[in-house]
Amino acid sequence: DVKVTQSSRYLVKRTGEKVFLECVQDMDHENMFWYRQDPGLGLRLIYFSYDVKMKEKGDIPEGYSVSREKKERFSLILESASTNQTSMYLCASSSSGVGDEKLFFGSGTQLSVL
Amino acid sequence: AQSVTQLGSHVSVSEGALVLLRCNYSSSVPPYLFWYVQYPNQGLQLLLKYTTGATLVKGINGFEAEFKKSETSFHLTKPSAHMSDAAEYFCAVTIHASGGSYIPTFGRGTSLIVHP
């Protein structure tokens, strides 16, 4: 069964901490995405990557960075966590093939910044 | 640029009643359109998609959606709601972007509530 795995389901961090959210996919997908989900705001794209070491800013990249050193792994980094980054974070992956536009999602990481 | 508007943050129906979740989009190029469903404490999963061809598309769990270009709509329907359909539903529009990837833009979501 295809899988996108996010390393933590729940995470509690303090303001100012550096936070790493990890995502691994086992489908050999070229594309990987990080979204944050907030009530009433839907999913907003933070960053995406269409190849190893490639990254593109999404709609709300401020305060975040990403790393993709291997094809299967896409990390989201909060350099200095702030309370307004408390949210559900969703990782997704997809293939680049025509007809393969479907996203596969992980179960999400609920991050609380205190 | 592309955008998606889902009308109604919450929709409440009785079990057995028609489900209608509304989605309108804007896109400068022919869009690919999707509906995803999110059950509690889970990630999103694809319900159905429209890319080209037949404008009425059928998905999982008895859902279907019709692409209406003249109305820029892609409403989701199901003839008879079941309690297990209670979930958050997201409409998404996708355009072709860098490196051959497709970047979806999601609506704000509609929470479907099903009453016994």
Side-chain angles (χ1 to χ4, degrees), chain A residues 9 31 33 35 37 40 42-43 45 48 50 90 96 99 101-103 105-106, chain B residues 32 34 36 38 41 43-44 46 49 90 98-104 106-108:
Chain A
R9 183 72 181 92
N31 309 312
F33 307 81
Y35 289 90
Q37 181 180 11
L43 275 71
L45 182 63
F48 69 96
Y50 56 88
L90 292 170
S96 288
E101 309 84 3
K102 166 184 176 180
L103 262 62
F105 282 86
Chain B
Y32 290 176
F34 304 78
Y36 286 84
Q38 184 180 33
N41 299 314
L44 281 69
L46 183 70
K49 69 176 184 179
F90 293 92
S98 307
S101 59
Y102 294 86
I103 310 302
F106 286 85
R108 296 192 172 195

PDB file of all heavy atoms in Angstrom, chain A residues 9 31 33 35 37 40 42-43 45 48 50 90 96 99 101-103 105-106, chain B residues 32 34 36 38 41 43-44 46 49 90 98-104 106-108:
ATOM      1  N   ARG A   9       2.760  12.619  15.109  1.00  0.00           N
ATOM      2  CA  ARG A   9       1.344  12.952  15.006  1.00  0.00           C
ATOM      3  C   ARG A   9       1.039  14.223  15.801  1.00  0.00           C
ATOM      4  O   ARG A   9       0.234  15.037  15.390  1.00  0.00           O
ATOM      5  CB  ARG A   9       0.507  11.787  15.527  1.00  0.00           C
ATOM      6  CG  ARG A   9      -0.994  12.006  15.406  1.00  0.00           C
ATOM      7  CD  ARG A   9      -1.424  11.905  13.954  1.00  0.00           C
ATOM      8  NE  ARG A   9      -2.858  12.133  13.820  1.00  0.00           N
ATOM      9  CZ  ARG A   9      -3.397  13.323  13.575  1.00  0.00           C
ATOM     10  NH1 ARG A   9      -2.627  14.391  13.443  1.00  0.00           N
ATOM     11  NH2 ARG A   9      -4.715  13.443  13.461  1.00  0.00           N
ATOM     12  N   ASN A  31       7.335  14.864  -6.864  1.00  0.00           N
ATOM     13  CA  ASN A  31       6.831  16.080  -6.216  1.00  0.00           C
ATOM     14  C   ASN A  31       6.464  15.841  -4.765  1.00  0.00           C
ATOM     15  O   ASN A  31       5.835  14.834  -4.434  1.00  0.00           O
ATOM     16  CB  ASN A  31       5.580  16.578  -6.943  1.00  0.00           C
ATOM     17  CG  ASN A  31       5.782  16.711  -8.429  1.00  0.00           C
ATOM     18  OD1 ASN A  31       6.766  17.273  -8.871  1.00  0.00           O
ATOM     19  ND2 ASN A  31       4.858  16.177  -9.198  1.00  0.00           N
ATOM     20  N   PHE A  33       5.091  18.164  -1.135  1.00  0.00           N
ATOM     21  CA  PHE A  33       4.455  19.420  -0.737  1.00  0.00           C
ATOM     22  C   PHE A  33       4.330  19.484   0.788  1.00  0.00           C
ATOM     23  O   PHE A  33       4.128  18.458   1.441  1.00  0.00           O
ATOM     24  CB  PHE A  33       3.024  19.498  -1.303  1.00  0.00           C
ATOM     25  CG  PHE A  33       2.909  19.282  -2.782  1.00  0.00           C
ATOM     26  CD1 PHE A  33       2.909  18.011  -3.319  1.00  0.00           C
ATOM     27  CD2 PHE A  33       2.775  20.361  -3.632  1.00  0.00           C
ATOM     28  CE1 PHE A  33       2.788  17.801  -4.688  1.00  0.00           C
ATOM     29  CE2 PHE A  33       2.649  20.168  -5.004  1.00  0.00           C
ATOM     30  CZ  PHE A  33       2.652  18.896  -5.530  1.00  0.00           C
ATOM     31  N   TYR A  35       1.783  21.609   3.373  1.00  0.00           N
ATOM     32  CA  TYR A  35       0.642  22.491   3.580  1.00  0.00           C
ATOM     33  C   TYR A  35       0.449  22.686   5.078  1.00  0.00           C
ATOM     34  O   TYR A  35       0.757  21.815   5.873  1.00  0.00           O
ATOM     35  CB  TYR A  35      -0.640  21.873   3.031  1.00  0.00           C
ATOM     36  CG  TYR A  35      -0.748  21.799   1.526  1.00  0.00           C
ATOM     37  CD1 TYR A  35      -0.280  20.690   0.828  1.00  0.00           C
ATOM     38  CD2 TYR A  35      -1.352  22.828   0.809  1.00  0.00           C
ATOM     39  CE1 TYR A  35      -0.404  20.620  -0.558  1.00  0.00           C
ATOM     40  CE2 TYR A  35      -1.482  22.762  -0.569  1.00  0.00           C
ATOM     41  CZ  TYR A  35      -1.001  21.652  -1.247  1.00  0.00           C
ATOM     42  OH  TYR A  35      -1.127  21.577  -2.614  1.00  0.00           O
ATOM     43  N   GLN A  37      -2.880  23.481   7.628  1.00  0.00           N
ATOM     44  CA  GLN A  37      -4.331  23.467   7.630  1.00  0.00           C
ATOM     45  C   GLN A  37      -4.831  24.145   8.883  1.00  0.00           C
ATOM     46  O   GLN A  37      -4.523  23.714  10.001  1.00  0.00           O
ATOM     47  CB  GLN A  37      -4.865  22.025   7.570  1.00  0.00           C
ATOM     48  CG  GLN A  37      -6.368  21.946   7.535  1.00  0.00           C
ATOM     49  CD  GLN A  37      -6.874  20.521   7.470  1.00  0.00           C
ATOM     50  OE1 GLN A  37      -6.133  19.557   7.655  1.00  0.00           O
ATOM     51  NE2 GLN A  37      -8.144  20.363   7.177  1.00  0.00           N
ATOM     52  N   GLY A  40     -11.267  26.975   8.866  1.00  0.00           N
ATOM     53  CA  GLY A  40     -11.817  28.093   8.108  1.00  0.00           C
ATOM     54  C   GLY A  40     -10.922  28.621   7.010  1.00  0.00           C
ATOM     55  O   GLY A  40     -11.351  29.441   6.202  1.00  0.00           O
ATOM     56  N   GLY A  42      -8.757  26.347   5.211  1.00  0.00           N
ATOM     57  CA  GLY A  42      -8.430  25.265   4.295  1.00  0.00           C
ATOM     58  C   GLY A  42      -6.954  24.927   4.326  1.00  0.00           C
ATOM     59  O   GLY A  42      -6.277  25.089   5.349  1.00  0.00           O
ATOM     60  N   LEU A  43      -6.437  24.453   3.208  1.00  0.00           N
ATOM     61  CA  LEU A  43      -5.022  24.107   3.100  1.00  0.00           C
ATOM     62  C   LEU A  43      -4.288  25.220   2.366  1.00  0.00           C
ATOM     63  O   LEU A  43      -4.715  25.649   1.301  1.00  0.00           O
ATOM     64  CB  LEU A  43      -4.855  22.805   2.302  1.00  0.00           C
ATOM     65  CG  LEU A  43      -4.988  21.497   3.059  1.00  0.00           C
ATOM     66  CD1 LEU A  43      -6.425  21.254   3.473  1.00  0.00           C
ATOM     67  CD2 LEU A  43      -4.486  20.351   2.200  1.00  0.00           C
ATOM     68  N   LEU A  45      -0.474  26.303   0.866  1.00  0.00           N
ATOM     69  CA  LEU A  45       0.802  25.723   0.463  1.00  0.00           C
ATOM     70  C   LEU A  45       1.960  26.534   1.031  1.00  0.00           C
ATOM     71  O   LEU A  45       2.045  27.756   0.823  1.00  0.00           O
ATOM     72  CB  LEU A  45       0.882  25.674  -1.059  1.00  0.00           C
ATOM     73  CG  LEU A  45       2.127  25.050  -1.658  1.00  0.00           C
ATOM     74  CD1 LEU A  45       2.231  23.571  -1.278  1.00  0.00           C
ATOM     75  CD2 LEU A  45       2.108  25.206  -3.181  1.00  0.00           C
ATOM     76  N   PHE A  48       6.923  23.621  -1.979  1.00  0.00           N
ATOM     77  CA  PHE A  48       6.892  22.346  -2.671  1.00  0.00           C
ATOM     78  C   PHE A  48       8.233  22.096  -3.334  1.00  0.00           C
ATOM     79  O   PHE A  48       9.054  23.006  -3.482  1.00  0.00           O
ATOM     80  CB  PHE A  48       5.736  22.263  -3.666  1.00  0.00           C
ATOM     81  CG  PHE A  48       5.868  23.165  -4.869  1.00  0.00           C
ATOM     82  CD1 PHE A  48       6.383  22.687  -6.060  1.00  0.00           C
ATOM     83  CD2 PHE A  48       5.429  24.478  -4.815  1.00  0.00           C
ATOM     84  CE1 PHE A  48       6.476  23.507  -7.174  1.00  0.00           C
ATOM     85  CE2 PHE A  48       5.516  25.314  -5.922  1.00  0.00           C
ATOM     86  CZ  PHE A  48       6.048  24.826  -7.102  1.00  0.00           C
ATOM     87  N   TYR A  50       9.927  19.728  -6.672  1.00  0.00           N
ATOM     88  CA  TYR A  50       9.646  18.850  -7.804  1.00  0.00           C
ATOM     89  C   TYR A  50      10.838  17.974  -8.153  1.00  0.00           C
ATOM     90  O   TYR A  50      10.828  17.258  -9.150  1.00  0.00           O
ATOM     91  CB  TYR A  50       9.165  19.644  -9.022  1.00  0.00           C
ATOM     92  CG  TYR A  50      10.101  20.730  -9.461  1.00  0.00           C
ATOM     93  CD1 TYR A  50      11.129  20.465 -10.353  1.00  0.00           C
ATOM     94  CD2 TYR A  50       9.942  22.028  -8.993  1.00  0.00           C
ATOM     95  CE1 TYR A  50      11.980  21.470 -10.775  1.00  0.00           C
ATOM     96  CE2 TYR A  50      10.804  23.036  -9.392  1.00  0.00           C
ATOM     97  CZ  TYR A  50      11.817  22.752 -10.285  1.00  0.00           C
ATOM     98  OH  TYR A  50      12.665  23.741 -10.686  1.00  0.00           O
ATOM     99  N   LEU A  90       0.416  19.241   6.927  1.00  0.00           N
ATOM    100  CA  LEU A  90       0.184  18.084   6.073  1.00  0.00           C
ATOM    101  C   LEU A  90       1.241  18.010   4.987  1.00  0.00           C
ATOM    102  O   LEU A  90       1.507  18.991   4.303  1.00  0.00           O
ATOM    103  CB  LEU A  90      -1.198  18.167   5.420  1.00  0.00           C
ATOM    104  CG  LEU A  90      -2.403  18.021   6.341  1.00  0.00           C
ATOM    105  CD1 LEU A  90      -3.679  18.378   5.597  1.00  0.00           C
ATOM    106  CD2 LEU A  90      -2.508  16.624   6.905  1.00  0.00           C
ATOM    107  N   SER A  96       4.881  13.147 -11.443  1.00  0.00           N
ATOM    108  CA  SER A  96       4.823  14.177 -12.480  1.00  0.00           C
ATOM    109  C   SER A  96       4.206  13.690 -13.775  1.00  0.00           C
ATOM    110  O   SER A  96       4.073  14.451 -14.712  1.00  0.00           O
ATOM    111  CB  SER A  96       6.238  14.698 -12.785  1.00  0.00           C
ATOM    112  OG  SER A  96       6.714  15.483 -11.726  1.00  0.00           O
ATOM    113  N   GLY A  99      -1.742  12.518 -16.054  1.00  0.00           N
ATOM    114  CA  GLY A  99      -2.736  11.616 -15.494  1.00  0.00           C
ATOM    115  C   GLY A  99      -2.429  11.204 -14.074  1.00  0.00           C
ATOM    116  O   GLY A  99      -3.202  10.486 -13.452  1.00  0.00           O
ATOM    117  N   GLU A 101      -1.906  13.413 -11.436  1.00  0.00           N
ATOM    118  CA  GLU A 101      -1.904  14.657 -10.673  1.00  0.00           C
ATOM    119  C   GLU A 101      -2.404  14.478  -9.246  1.00  0.00           C
ATOM    120  O   GLU A 101      -2.359  15.401  -8.442  1.00  0.00           O
ATOM    121  CB  GLU A 101      -2.797  15.693 -11.367  1.00  0.00           C
ATOM    122  CG  GLU A 101      -2.497  15.867 -12.843  1.00  0.00           C
ATOM    123  CD  GLU A 101      -3.185  14.834 -13.724  1.00  0.00           C
ATOM    124  OE1 GLU A 101      -3.946  14.013 -13.179  1.00  0.00           O
ATOM    125  OE2 GLU A 101      -2.968  14.851 -14.949  1.00  0.00           O
ATOM    126  N   LYS A 102      -2.903  13.322  -8.922  1.00  0.00           N
ATOM    127  CA  LYS A 102      -3.440  13.056  -7.594  1.00  0.00           C
ATOM    128  C   LYS A 102      -2.371  13.199  -6.528  1.00  0.00           C
ATOM    129  O   LYS A 102      -1.233  12.761  -6.703  1.00  0.00           O
ATOM    130  CB  LYS A 102      -3.991  11.634  -7.595  1.00  0.00           C
ATOM    131  CG  LYS A 102      -4.302  11.041  -6.242  1.00  0.00           C
ATOM    132  CD  LYS A 102      -4.738   9.599  -6.417  1.00  0.00           C
ATOM    133  CE  LYS A 102      -4.960   8.919  -5.078  1.00  0.00           C
ATOM    134  NZ  LYS A 102      -5.393   7.514  -5.249  1.00  0.00           N
ATOM    135  N   LEU A 103      -2.754  13.818  -5.410  1.00  0.00           N
ATOM    136  CA  LEU A 103      -1.868  13.936  -4.257  1.00  0.00           C
ATOM    137  C   LEU A 103      -2.151  12.827  -3.261  1.00  0.00           C
ATOM    138  O   LEU A 103      -3.308  12.477  -3.016  1.00  0.00           O
ATOM    139  CB  LEU A 103      -2.080  15.285  -3.561  1.00  0.00           C
ATOM    140  CG  LEU A 103      -1.092  16.402  -3.908  1.00  0.00           C
ATOM    141  CD1 LEU A 103      -1.161  16.742  -5.371  1.00  0.00           C
ATOM    142  CD2 LEU A 103      -1.324  17.615  -3.048  1.00  0.00           C
ATOM    143  N   PHE A 105      -1.571  12.044   0.712  1.00  0.00           N
ATOM    144  CA  PHE A 105      -1.302  12.813   1.918  1.00  0.00           C
ATOM    145  C   PHE A 105      -0.867  11.924   3.076  1.00  0.00           C
ATOM    146  O   PHE A 105      -1.319  10.772   3.211  1.00  0.00           O
ATOM    147  CB  PHE A 105      -2.564  13.564   2.355  1.00  0.00           C
ATOM    148  CG  PHE A 105      -2.832  14.804   1.564  1.00  0.00           C
ATOM    149  CD1 PHE A 105      -3.533  14.737   0.372  1.00  0.00           C
ATOM    150  CD2 PHE A 105      -2.392  16.038   2.014  1.00  0.00           C
ATOM    151  CE1 PHE A 105      -3.784  15.884  -0.366  1.00  0.00           C
ATOM    152  CE2 PHE A 105      -2.640  17.192   1.291  1.00  0.00           C
ATOM    153  CZ  PHE A 105      -3.339  17.114   0.098  1.00  0.00           C
ATOM    154  N   GLY A 106      -0.041  12.496   3.938  1.00  0.00           N
ATOM    155  CA  GLY A 106       0.221  11.888   5.227  1.00  0.00           C
ATOM    156  C   GLY A 106      -0.920  12.194   6.180  1.00  0.00           C
ATOM    157  O   GLY A 106      -1.858  12.929   5.842  1.00  0.00           O
TER     158      GLY A 106
ATOM    159  N   TYR B  32      -7.616  21.320 -14.084  1.00  0.00           N
ATOM    160  CA  TYR B  32      -7.886  20.001 -13.565  1.00  0.00           C
ATOM    161  C   TYR B  32      -8.566  20.231 -12.209  1.00  0.00           C
ATOM    162  O   TYR B  32      -8.110  21.052 -11.422  1.00  0.00           O
ATOM    163  CB  TYR B  32      -6.602  19.198 -13.356  1.00  0.00           C
ATOM    164  CG  TYR B  32      -5.902  18.770 -14.623  1.00  0.00           C
ATOM    165  CD1 TYR B  32      -4.675  18.111 -14.561  1.00  0.00           C
ATOM    166  CD2 TYR B  32      -6.448  19.005 -15.881  1.00  0.00           C
ATOM    167  CE1 TYR B  32      -4.012  17.707 -15.709  1.00  0.00           C
ATOM    168  CE2 TYR B  32      -5.792  18.607 -17.034  1.00  0.00           C
ATOM    169  CZ  TYR B  32      -4.580  17.951 -16.940  1.00  0.00           C
ATOM    170  OH  TYR B  32      -3.920  17.553 -18.079  1.00  0.00           O
ATOM    171  N   PHE B  34     -10.535  18.645  -8.635  1.00  0.00           N
ATOM    172  CA  PHE B  34     -10.505  17.511  -7.713  1.00  0.00           C
ATOM    173  C   PHE B  34     -11.436  17.757  -6.530  1.00  0.00           C
ATOM    174  O   PHE B  34     -11.667  18.900  -6.141  1.00  0.00           O
ATOM    175  CB  PHE B  34      -9.091  17.321  -7.132  1.00  0.00           C
ATOM    176  CG  PHE B  34      -8.015  17.148  -8.149  1.00  0.00           C
ATOM    177  CD1 PHE B  34      -7.503  18.230  -8.834  1.00  0.00           C
ATOM    178  CD2 PHE B  34      -7.503  15.889  -8.412  1.00  0.00           C
ATOM    179  CE1 PHE B  34      -6.497  18.069  -9.775  1.00  0.00           C
ATOM    180  CE2 PHE B  34      -6.493  15.720  -9.352  1.00  0.00           C
ATOM    181  CZ  PHE B  34      -5.999  16.813 -10.029  1.00  0.00           C
ATOM    182  N   TYR B  36     -11.375  16.190  -2.605  1.00  0.00           N
ATOM    183  CA  TYR B  36     -10.734  15.346  -1.612  1.00  0.00           C
ATOM    184  C   TYR B  36     -11.618  15.292  -0.364  1.00  0.00           C
ATOM    185  O   TYR B  36     -12.344  16.247  -0.064  1.00  0.00           O
ATOM    186  CB  TYR B  36      -9.372  15.901  -1.199  1.00  0.00           C
ATOM    187  CG  TYR B  36      -8.272  15.739  -2.230  1.00  0.00           C
ATOM    188  CD1 TYR B  36      -8.117  16.661  -3.262  1.00  0.00           C
ATOM    189  CD2 TYR B  36      -7.375  14.672  -2.158  1.00  0.00           C
ATOM    190  CE1 TYR B  36      -7.100  16.522  -4.200  1.00  0.00           C
ATOM    191  CE2 TYR B  36      -6.356  14.527  -3.087  1.00  0.00           C
ATOM    192  CZ  TYR B  36      -6.234  15.448  -4.103  1.00  0.00           C
ATOM    193  OH  TYR B  36      -5.220  15.302  -5.031  1.00  0.00           O
ATOM    194  N   GLN B  38     -11.559  14.423   3.911  1.00  0.00           N
ATOM    195  CA  GLN B  38     -10.725  14.228   5.097  1.00  0.00           C
ATOM    196  C   GLN B  38     -11.595  13.746   6.245  1.00  0.00           C
ATOM    197  O   GLN B  38     -12.436  14.487   6.756  1.00  0.00           O
ATOM    198  CB  GLN B  38     -10.021  15.529   5.476  1.00  0.00           C
ATOM    199  CG  GLN B  38      -9.048  15.378   6.642  1.00  0.00           C
ATOM    200  CD  GLN B  38      -8.370  16.699   7.002  1.00  0.00           C
ATOM    201  OE1 GLN B  38      -8.960  17.763   6.878  1.00  0.00           O
ATOM    202  NE2 GLN B  38      -7.124  16.622   7.448  1.00  0.00           N
ATOM    203  N   ASN B  41      -9.009  13.072  12.051  1.00  0.00           N
ATOM    204  CA  ASN B  41      -7.654  12.613  12.420  1.00  0.00           C
ATOM    205  C   ASN B  41      -6.947  11.878  11.289  1.00  0.00           C
ATOM    206  O   ASN B  41      -6.095  11.009  11.551  1.00  0.00           O
ATOM    207  CB  ASN B  41      -7.709  11.724  13.663  1.00  0.00           C
ATOM    208  CG  ASN B  41      -8.267  12.469  14.857  1.00  0.00           C
ATOM    209  OD1 ASN B  41      -7.874  13.595  15.126  1.00  0.00           O
ATOM    210  ND2 ASN B  41      -9.213  11.866  15.540  1.00  0.00           N
ATOM    211  N   GLY B  43      -5.317  12.251   7.021  1.00  0.00           N
ATOM    212  CA  GLY B  43      -4.979  13.124   5.910  1.00  0.00           C
ATOM    213  C   GLY B  43      -6.085  13.108   4.868  1.00  0.00           C
ATOM    214  O   GLY B  43      -7.120  12.472   5.049  1.00  0.00           O
ATOM    215  N   LEU B  44      -5.878  13.844   3.774  1.00  0.00           N
ATOM    216  CA  LEU B  44      -6.876  13.897   2.719  1.00  0.00           C
ATOM    217  C   LEU B  44      -6.714  12.706   1.778  1.00  0.00           C
ATOM    218  O   LEU B  44      -5.598  12.227   1.555  1.00  0.00           O
ATOM    219  CB  LEU B  44      -6.723  15.184   1.905  1.00  0.00           C
ATOM    220  CG  LEU B  44      -7.290  16.471   2.490  1.00  0.00           C
ATOM    221  CD1 LEU B  44      -6.490  16.927   3.712  1.00  0.00           C
ATOM    222  CD2 LEU B  44      -7.314  17.558   1.428  1.00  0.00           C
ATOM    223  N   LEU B  46      -8.269  11.251  -2.172  1.00  0.00           N
ATOM    224  CA  LEU B  46      -8.970  11.660  -3.369  1.00  0.00           C
ATOM    225  C   LEU B  46     -10.341  10.988  -3.476  1.00  0.00           C
ATOM    226  O   LEU B  46     -10.461   9.770  -3.337  1.00  0.00           O
ATOM    227  CB  LEU B  46      -8.137  11.314  -4.597  1.00  0.00           C
ATOM    228  CG  LEU B  46      -8.722  11.757  -5.942  1.00  0.00           C
ATOM    229  CD1 LEU B  46      -8.664  13.274  -6.063  1.00  0.00           C
ATOM    230  CD2 LEU B  46      -7.968  11.096  -7.092  1.00  0.00           C
ATOM    231  N   LYS B  49     -11.773  13.107  -9.685  1.00  0.00           N
ATOM    232  CA  LYS B  49     -11.068  14.175 -10.389  1.00  0.00           C
ATOM    233  C   LYS B  49     -11.601  14.316 -11.804  1.00  0.00           C
ATOM    234  O   LYS B  49     -12.107  13.362 -12.403  1.00  0.00           O
ATOM    235  CB  LYS B  49      -9.566  13.903 -10.427  1.00  0.00           C
ATOM    236  CG  LYS B  49      -9.161  12.740 -11.310  1.00  0.00           C
ATOM    237  CD  LYS B  49      -7.644  12.608 -11.371  1.00  0.00           C
ATOM    238  CE  LYS B  49      -7.239  11.485 -12.340  1.00  0.00           C
ATOM    239  NZ  LYS B  49      -5.771  11.329 -12.440  1.00  0.00           N
ATOM    240  N   PHE B  90     -12.873  18.956   0.471  1.00  0.00           N
ATOM    241  CA  PHE B  90     -12.097  20.032  -0.138  1.00  0.00           C
ATOM    242  C   PHE B  90     -12.132  19.919  -1.652  1.00  0.00           C
ATOM    243  O   PHE B  90     -11.868  18.856  -2.215  1.00  0.00           O
ATOM    244  CB  PHE B  90     -10.628  19.962   0.315  1.00  0.00           C
ATOM    245  CG  PHE B  90     -10.419  20.253   1.769  1.00  0.00           C
ATOM    246  CD1 PHE B  90     -10.410  19.227   2.702  1.00  0.00           C
ATOM    247  CD2 PHE B  90     -10.237  21.553   2.205  1.00  0.00           C
ATOM    248  CE1 PHE B  90     -10.214  19.489   4.046  1.00  0.00           C
ATOM    249  CE2 PHE B  90     -10.039  21.828   3.551  1.00  0.00           C
ATOM    250  CZ  PHE B  90     -10.034  20.799   4.471  1.00  0.00           C
ATOM    251  N   SER B  98       6.207  24.352 -12.370  1.00  0.00           N
ATOM    252  CA  SER B  98       7.641  24.111 -12.618  1.00  0.00           C
ATOM    253  C   SER B  98       7.993  22.636 -12.628  1.00  0.00           C
ATOM    254  O   SER B  98       7.477  21.871 -11.839  1.00  0.00           O
ATOM    255  CB  SER B  98       8.463  24.793 -11.518  1.00  0.00           C
ATOM    256  OG  SER B  98       8.116  26.133 -11.406  1.00  0.00           O
ATOM    257  N   GLY B  99       8.883  22.263 -13.518  1.00  0.00           N
ATOM    258  CA  GLY B  99       9.427  20.919 -13.510  1.00  0.00           C
ATOM    259  C   GLY B  99       8.437  19.825 -13.821  1.00  0.00           C
ATOM    260  O   GLY B  99       8.693  18.652 -13.522  1.00  0.00           O
ATOM    261  N   GLY B 100       7.309  20.169 -14.398  1.00  0.00           N
ATOM    262  CA  GLY B 100       6.332  19.142 -14.743  1.00  0.00           C
ATOM    263  C   GLY B 100       5.376  18.811 -13.613  1.00  0.00           C
ATOM    264  O   GLY B 100       4.590  17.884 -13.722  1.00  0.00           O
ATOM    265  N   SER B 101       5.453  19.536 -12.532  1.00  0.00           N
ATOM    266  CA  SER B 101       4.574  19.226 -11.405  1.00  0.00           C
ATOM    267  C   SER B 101       3.237  19.954 -11.543  1.00  0.00           C
ATOM    268  O   SER B 101       3.087  20.893 -12.315  1.00  0.00           O
ATOM    269  CB  SER B 101       5.247  19.647 -10.100  1.00  0.00           C
ATOM    270  OG  SER B 101       5.524  21.034 -10.119  1.00  0.00           O
ATOM    271  N   TYR B 102       2.284  19.476 -10.792  1.00  0.00           N
ATOM    272  CA  TYR B 102       0.956  20.083 -10.745  1.00  0.00           C
ATOM    273  C   TYR B 102       0.755  20.635  -9.346  1.00  0.00           C
ATOM    274  O   TYR B 102       0.913  19.915  -8.365  1.00  0.00           O
ATOM    275  CB  TYR B 102      -0.110  19.049 -11.069  1.00  0.00           C
ATOM    276  CG  TYR B 102      -0.037  18.552 -12.486  1.00  0.00           C
ATOM    277  CD1 TYR B 102       0.796  17.504 -12.825  1.00  0.00           C
ATOM    278  CD2 TYR B 102      -0.783  19.147 -13.488  1.00  0.00           C
ATOM    279  CE1 TYR B 102       0.881  17.050 -14.128  1.00  0.00           C
ATOM    280  CE2 TYR B 102      -0.708  18.699 -14.799  1.00  0.00           C
ATOM    281  CZ  TYR B 102       0.127  17.652 -15.111  1.00  0.00           C
ATOM    282  OH  TYR B 102       0.215  17.209 -16.399  1.00  0.00           O
ATOM    283  N   ILE B 103       0.393  21.901  -9.253  1.00  0.00           N
ATOM    284  CA  ILE B 103       0.262  22.548  -7.955  1.00  0.00           C
ATOM    285  C   ILE B 103      -1.194  22.820  -7.671  1.00  0.00           C
ATOM    286  O   ILE B 103      -1.801  23.677  -8.293  1.00  0.00           O
ATOM    287  CB  ILE B 103       1.050  23.868  -7.910  1.00  0.00           C
ATOM    288  CG1 ILE B 103       2.475  23.643  -8.397  1.00  0.00           C
ATOM    289  CG2 ILE B 103       1.026  24.447  -6.500  1.00  0.00           C
ATOM    290  CD1 ILE B 103       3.245  22.615  -7.601  1.00  0.00           C
ATOM    291  N   PRO B 104      -1.776  22.074  -6.735  1.00  0.00           N
ATOM    292  CA  PRO B 104      -3.190  22.305  -6.431  1.00  0.00           C
ATOM    293  C   PRO B 104      -3.398  23.510  -5.529  1.00  0.00           C
ATOM    294  O   PRO B 104      -2.615  23.757  -4.622  1.00  0.00           O
ATOM    295  CB  PRO B 104      -3.598  21.027  -5.699  1.00  0.00           C
ATOM    296  CG  PRO B 104      -2.412  20.129  -5.700  1.00  0.00           C
ATOM    297  CD  PRO B 104      -1.230  20.967  -5.977  1.00  0.00           C
ATOM    298  N   PHE B 106      -6.359  24.730  -2.977  1.00  0.00           N
ATOM    299  CA  PHE B 106      -7.516  24.155  -2.295  1.00  0.00           C
ATOM    300  C   PHE B 106      -8.498  25.234  -1.859  1.00  0.00           C
ATOM    301  O   PHE B 106      -8.112  26.366  -1.541  1.00  0.00           O
ATOM    302  CB  PHE B 106      -7.057  23.381  -1.051  1.00  0.00           C
ATOM    303  CG  PHE B 106      -6.407  22.070  -1.364  1.00  0.00           C
ATOM    304  CD1 PHE B 106      -5.060  22.004  -1.668  1.00  0.00           C
ATOM    305  CD2 PHE B 106      -7.145  20.896  -1.374  1.00  0.00           C
ATOM    306  CE1 PHE B 106      -4.449  20.801  -1.972  1.00  0.00           C
ATOM    307  CE2 PHE B 106      -6.548  19.687  -1.671  1.00  0.00           C
ATOM    308  CZ  PHE B 106      -5.202  19.640  -1.977  1.00  0.00           C
ATOM    309  N   GLY B 107      -9.770  24.853  -1.830  1.00  0.00           N
ATOM    310  CA  GLY B 107     -10.771  25.687  -1.199  1.00  0.00           C
ATOM    311  C   GLY B 107     -10.664  25.584   0.304  1.00  0.00           C
ATOM    312  O   GLY B 107      -9.844  24.839   0.846  1.00  0.00           O
ATOM    313  N   ARG B 108     -11.530  26.334   0.990  1.00  0.00           N
ATOM    314  CA  ARG B 108     -11.445  26.388   2.450  1.00  0.00           C
ATOM    315  C   ARG B 108     -12.103  25.193   3.134  1.00  0.00           C
ATOM    316  O   ARG B 108     -12.011  25.042   4.337  1.00  0.00           O
ATOM    317  CB  ARG B 108     -12.066  27.677   2.965  1.00  0.00           C
ATOM    318  CG  ARG B 108     -11.299  28.896   2.495  1.00  0.00           C
ATOM    319  CD  ARG B 108     -11.718  30.148   3.211  1.00  0.00           C
ATOM    320  NE  ARG B 108     -10.826  31.257   2.865  1.00  0.00           N
ATOM    321  CZ  ARG B 108     -10.749  32.386   3.532  1.00  0.00           C
ATOM    322  NH1 ARG B 108     -11.489  32.581   4.596  1.00  0.00           N
ATOM    323  NH2 ARG B 108      -9.922  33.344   3.139  1.00  0.00           N
TER     324      ARG B 108
END
